[in-house]
Amino acid sequence: MNAELILQARGLRKSFGALQAVDGVNLDLRKGDITGLIGPNGAGKSTLFGLIAGETRPSSGQVLFQGHDITGMKPEQVFRHGLARTFQIPRPFRKMTVLENVMCAAPNQSGERFWSNWIQPGVVAQQERENRARAEDVLAFCNLTHMTQEMAGSLSGGQQKLLELARVMMAEPRLILLDEPTAGVNPSLIEHLIDRVVELNARGVSFLIVEHNMDLVMRICARIVVMAQGRRIAEGTPAEVTVDRKVIDAYLGEVPA
């Protein structure tokens, strides 16, 4: 695997009956990049996310992450390898507090093993304190400290998107897949969410972002991958993609001014 690449997908295919949702997609993601994934509705973007994150088993093809073959792994296994994702529609534990939601995402918790609570109660308690402190730091980073004891179900759509980002941060992932992070989000929160993404990227976290907000994509993405009808039809810098005739015909409709 190229040392500069964090993820490679080769010949990924996924069929649902007669529908070829993802059709032989190759994808290279460079370490440290924010990469945009765009295309019309039904292009196969969310299915591709699912194949990479382990939620969907590919019909064929391979996914390599940091040199490891993660093809067909379960989502929790992929997560433990350092690859995390958020969802277009957030999935918090609605009847748990914001703090509890974030603490639940901490990896390798001793307290999850029943006997540890009896045999090593001191270790479990110490880890609980460390996870709480870490969760509080993450919530402060996401500007959610004032919501710590609120039920997650009471948060606005934008706050839930920030909560999802906070949860994946608990695992300190090297690559985060963001599925339409600004959809349904108040404009003021959009700017804060994007600031957090840019700050995490400056700390070395790579991103692959599905997003319909083209202004945002053009602003923060180093490279853009374009899909249509399950296939990758173009890839390049924002400037290159916006003048690509295949992209214009399939998605943009016209060259932006």
Side-chain angles (χ1 to χ4, degrees), residues 172-185:
E172 300 184 333
R174 305 315 304 156
L175 173 63
I176 299 177
L177 313 182
L178 297 180
D179 194 350
E180 298 204 27
T182 69
V185 177

Side-chain angles (χ1 to χ4, degrees), residues 49 181 202 209:
F49 260 33
I209 303 178

Side-chain angles (χ1 to χ4, degrees), residues 104-223:
C104 279
N108 304 316
Q109 297 187 56
S110 299
E112 292 179 346
R113 296 185 291 273
F114 176 76
W115 288 109
S116 294
N117 292 281
W118 296 90
I119 298 173
Q120 298 176 303
V123 171
V124 172
Q126 176 62 26
Q127 189 180 60
E128 186 84 359
R129 288 191 293 271
E130 292 172 354
N131 287 340
R132 184 186 182 94
R134 165 74 176 149
E136 288 172 345
D137 287 344
V138 167
L139 286 169
F141 177 83
C142 292
N143 198 29
L144 289 173
T145 298
H146 63 295
M147 305 294 292
T148 297
Q149 297 304 322
E150 299 291 331
M151 293 296 153
S154 70
L155 272 59
S156 70
Q159 289 168 336
Q160 289 190 11
K161 294 285 180 79
L162 285 167
L163 176 57
E164 281 222 328
L165 182 60
R167 291 201 301 180
V168 301
M169 283 177 61
M170 282 296 285
E172 300 184 333
R174 305 315 304 156
L175 173 63
I176 299 177
L177 313 182
L178 297 180
D179 194 350
E180 298 204 27
T182 69
V185 177
N186 181 288
S188 63
L189 275 179
I190 287 177
E191 288 303 314
H192 181 71
L193 178 61
I194 295 312
D195 285 346
R196 298 303 84 198
V197 169
V198 171
E199 173 62 25
L200 285 173
N201 179 246
R203 298 181 182 183
V205 180
S206 306
F207 286 87
L208 178 63
I209 303 178
V210 168
E211 183 54 66
H212 286 288
N213 184 334
M214 291 303 298
D215 289 340
L216 182 153
V217 170
M218 298 297 170
R219 195 171 92 202
I220 70 170
C221 294
R223 297 189 67 77

Side-chain angles (χ1 to χ4, degrees), residues 7-116:
L7 183 134
Q8 291 177 295
R10 290 291 174 264
L12 277 185
R13 286 185 167 83
K14 181 60 183 180
S15 300
F16 297 99
L19 173 65
Q20 191 76 42
V22 173
D23 189 5
V25 169
N26 295 325
L27 181 67
D28 290 333
L29 299 183
R30 299 188 307 203
K31 288 182 179 179
D33 273 2
I34 301 176
T35 303
L37 179 60
I38 67 172
N41 290 331
K45 305 183 297 297
S46 291
T47 302
L48 180 61
F49 260 33
L51 295 173
I52 294 171
E55 289 138 14
T56 308
R57 180 175 289 273
S59 302
S60 61
Q62 185 182 40
V63 181
L64 296 175
F65 176 64
Q66 297 192 129
H68 301 285
D69 189 344
I70 62 170
T71 312
M73 283 187 180
K74 295 179 180 178
E76 59 270 23
Q77 295 173 310
V78 174
F79 187 75
R80 285 197 293 269
H81 273 75
L83 192 162
R85 75 160 294 180
T86 66
F87 294 88
Q88 180 180 353
I89 300 174
R91 303 178 179 182
F93 298 112
R94 299 181 63 83
K95 295 185 178 181
M96 294 172 62
T97 68
V98 167
L99 179 63
E100 289 167 342
N101 266 265
V102 177
M103 290 182 66
C104 279
N108 304 316
Q109 297 187 56
S110 299
E112 292 179 346
R113 296 185 291 273
F114 176 76
W115 288 109
S116 294

